[in-house]
Amino acid sequence: AKNVGILAVDIYFPPTCIQQEALEAHDGASKGKYTIGLGQDCMAFCSEVEDVISMSLTVVTNLLEKYGIDPKQIGRLEVGSETVIDKSKSIKTFLMQIFEKHGNTDIEGVDSTNACYGGTAALFNCVNWVESSSWDGRYGLVVCTDSAVYAEGPARPTGGAAAIALLIGPDAPIAFESKIRGSHMSHVYDFYKPDLASEYPVVDGKLSQTCYLMALDSCYKQLCKKYEKIEGKQFSISDAEYFVFHSPYNKLVQKSFARLVFQDSVRNASSIDEAAKEKLAPFASLSSDESYASRDLEKVAQQVAKPLYDAKVQPTTLVPKQVGNMYTASLYAAFASLLHNKHASLDGKRVILFSYGSGSTATMFSLQLRAGQHRFSLENIAAVMNVGEKLKSRHEFPPEKFCDIMKIMEHRYGGKDFVTNKDISLLLPGTFYLTEVDSKYRRFYAQK
Ligand code: ACO
């Protein structure tokens, strides 16, 4: 199979959200901390009728319907998620309800978990399957679904919720350049979920930022090395049109891209002009530890990177700024933002993606885009996703009500023997929702 990659995309996020400005005031944070300091506008969350299973049921059903895909045509289904609902039964098996109805139970794949990286692992599995000798000619389907919630405190504004579905096959408008790729995996305790009675992670915020940037540097170095070996010339940020990052919050994305600009300047790459090189030169001699700690470097690099950031990164930031951290779906929601904003001008362009999951696992990889045809064209993908309309039609909650819902969800987590409130008025027609968890912990869903 040639040009294996992403044929179709759909995204779902809850209609329930809270403005960061309102949350900031409610939390007693200084004005601008969440909006400018973290760079976030709004945050989506699951109300008590939604969860990672209902969101993934919704997004898969929508994708199959809107692109006219026969459920029998799916041969592999992989889910990435870090939201644990069951320690054994995969989310994938819940999604089988969609396919069993059509007589298709011959579908490989289960769930992949490691913080925000599970979606990328699932994606690589599907792409590898289509490229392998066990491929049977059918489509792969990847689902990234997460609800990111934090205990009250500084991490709470970095939550979010969404599910993304990606259809995988040959001759894709979004094709993998599988050889141009770099990974960095290591053992760190930056963000983890050891308390099985709670949905909330244990997180060392500052350490997680540094681990993210260290993994980014390492992946970029690996990717450059591999590119240079294959192409016989230096790779720099000029060799890709856009850079898409896993987005816990926008400020980290700004810092990340600045880091790549700094690396290019240290490598004396052609992407950086003389004036910028001069500004960054004083930092070239810092050890890597010193460089992560240097606030001056951070400031100067962000300033130098600003015009390039506006051109190569800003178009990828819409959904993450509006919906928040979607964990496994975050990177792909950023990519969906790019398709939404730039679908008409992406033909022939290379896009670099950076996936990070705490713990930690990270990969930087490359995609080649073509306009595509008919239902599998970038133009149709943007139309189907309809991101603008979805963002507009949401319902803003006041902070007090959001906190009440978080309390209910804390109480419900891991629980049994309850029915949800029957108010589904905010959900769009066709949305799946949780109706009941019975005395044997079995979960039941219905479609509006
Ligand atoms: N106006 C403008 N900016 C402000 C204001 C203000 N009034 N107040 C603070 N800021 C800025 C700060 O200067 C800082 O920006 P800087 O880093 O550019 O200097 C930013 O706002 C955040 O302020 P901090 O004091 O650093 O925030 P705090 O430590 O309270 O929390 C954190 C931030 C650590 C990100 C927290 O939200 C968290 O732990 N989140 C979860 C962990 C996370 O997402 N990690 C990312 C990688 S791992 C993953 O994806 C889960």
Side-chain angles (χ1 to χ4, degrees):
K2 274 225 162 71
N3 291 320
V4 175
I6 301 165
L7 294 162
V9 186
D10 202 9
I11 178 166
Y12 175 82
F13 42 80
T16 37
C17 65
I18 176 166
Q19 287 291 348
Q20 291 284 3
E21 213 175 335
L23 189 60
E24 205 173 73
H26 172 266
D27 291 353
S30 58
K31 189 163 174 46
K33 182 174 178 189
Y34 299 171
T35 48
I36 298 161
L38 296 175
Q40 291 300 107
D41 295 332
C42 191
M43 179 169 79
F45 58 91
C46 288
S47 68
E48 57 169 313
V49 291
E50 292 196 89
D51 62 20
V52 287
I53 296 167
S54 68
M55 290 194 294
S56 55
L57 285 165
T58 301
V59 80
V60 169
T61 304
N62 284 347
L63 180 138
L64 296 173
E65 222 170 81
K66 292 192 224 159
Y67 290 92
I69 306 294
D70 181 345
K72 286 200 190 68
Q73 279 297 100
I74 303 295
R76 190 174 188 98
L77 171 57
E78 297 259 356
V79 177
S81 180
E82 62 159 291
T83 308
V84 178
I85 285 188
D86 191 293
K87 284 174 281 184
S88 171
K89 183 174 163 59
S90 64
I91 295 170
K92 186 268 178 78
T93 58
F94 285 92
L95 294 173
M96 285 310 298
Q97 295 171 95
I98 297 167
F99 300 93
E100 280 175 271
K101 271 199 311 234
H102 295 269
N104 183 8
T105 57
D106 179 20
I107 302 182
E108 293 182 5
V110 288
D111 295 2
S112 293
T113 301
N114 187 92
C116 308
Y117 189 83
T120 299
L123 176 59
F124 288 179
N125 284 347
C126 268
V127 169
N128 290 346
W129 176 66
V130 174
E131 286 180 343
S132 77
S133 60
S134 44
W135 185 48
D136 66 2
R138 292 186 294 165
Y139 297 117
L141 186 57
V142 176
V143 183
C144 308
T145 181
D146 269 308
S147 160
V149 285
Y150 290 92
E152 276 177 44
R156 179 149 274 185
T158 62
I164 289 228
L166 310 166
L167 189 74
I168 309 301
D171 304 318
I174 302 159
F176 271 72
E177 276 193 299
S178 296
K179 291 216 156 37
I180 304 177
R181 189 188 279 188
S183 287
H184 176 82
M185 310 228 164
S186 77
H187 171 49
V188 286
Y189 272 125
D190 58 335
F191 163 115
Y192 47 111
K193 294 179 175 168
D195 180 358
L196 297 173
S198 168
E199 197 173 0
Y200 300 144
V202 173
V203 56
D204 181 337
K206 295 284 172 237
L207 178 65
S208 75
Q209 294 167 330
T210 308
C211 289
Y212 179 111
L213 294 175
M214 284 168 56
L216 173 74
D217 278 350
S218 175
C219 287
Y220 188 56
K221 282 184 186 140
Q222 293 297 340
L223 181 138
C224 288
K225 212 157 80 190
K226 287 184 193 171
Y227 180 91
E228 280 154 30
K229 205 166 163 197
I230 296 162
E231 300 289 330
K233 57 178 188 206
Q234 191 182 41
F235 183 89
S236 78
I237 47 184
S238 317
D239 290 297
E241 201 70 15
Y242 296 101
F243 286 81
V244 190
F245 297 88
H246 165 56
S247 309
Y249 48 92
N250 180 257
K251 177 62 82 60
L252 190 56
V253 173
Q254 296 171 33
K255 290 183 186 180
S256 298
F257 185 70
R259 197 77 210 175
L260 298 187
V261 168
F262 173 58
Q263 280 212 46
D264 270 10
S265 98
V266 171
R267 297 159 63 232
N268 208 13
S270 56
S271 55
I272 311 297
D273 65 30
E274 285 309 318
K277 255 177 220 159
E278 223 162 88
K279 283 195 187 130
L280 289 167
F283 305 100
S285 56
L286 295 181
S287 72
S288 58
D289 278 352
E290 287 167 342
S291 78
Y292 298 116
S294 168
R295 300 285 289 175
D296 289 340
L297 166 58
E298 206 174 79
K299 229 185 289 157
V300 172
Q302 266 175 265
Q303 192 187 43
V304 165
K306 180 74 169 57
L308 282 168
Y309 175 89
D310 289 344
K312 288 179 183 284
V313 185
Q314 197 277 333
T316 74
T317 58
L318 174 68
V319 179
K321 280 171 78 106
Q322 283 291 328
V323 177
N325 191 355
M326 298 152 264
Y327 287 160
T328 54
S330 249
L331 172 64
Y332 302 97
F335 184 64
S337 309
L338 177 65
L339 297 177
H340 166 74
N341 283 319
K342 297 283 174 188
H343 58 90
S345 60
L346 289 171
D347 189 49
K349 305 290 196 235
R350 174 185 284 133
V351 178
I352 299 287
L353 281 79
F354 174 66
S355 179
Y356 178 79
S358 292
S360 73
T361 55
T363 301
M364 185 179 272
F365 58 101
S366 176
L367 300 173
Q368 276 286 354
L369 274 59
R370 294 174 302 155
Q373 285 184 332
H374 312 298
R375 60 182 175 168
F376 300 146
S377 66
L378 301 182
E379 191 186 350
N380 188 49
I381 294 172
V384 164
M385 292 193 303
N386 201 9
V387 164
E389 220 23 70
K390 279 179 188 156
L391 287 174
K392 249 195 271 156
S393 64
R394 295 189 293 173
H395 183 87
E396 286 169 19
F397 274 54
E400 297 72 27
K401 225 166 150 205
F402 163 71
C403 293
D404 288 348
I405 291 175
M406 288 298 109
K407 288 243 161 60
I408 296 173
M409 305 293 258
E410 280 168 31
H411 180 70
R412 287 266 167 88
Y413 185 70
K416 61 175 176 175
D417 236 346
F418 63 85
V419 292
T420 60
N421 84 21
K422 291 285 184 292
D423 183 10
I424 52 165
S425 57
L426 295 177
L427 302 180
L428 290 174
T431 307
F432 283 80
Y433 59 96
L434 177 70
T435 56
E436 182 191 354
V437 178
D438 75 5
S439 60
K440 289 179 142 177
Y441 296 95
R442 292 176 301 193
R443 305 174 80 83
F444 297 91
Y445 296 86
Q447 188 176 20
K448 180 169 169 181

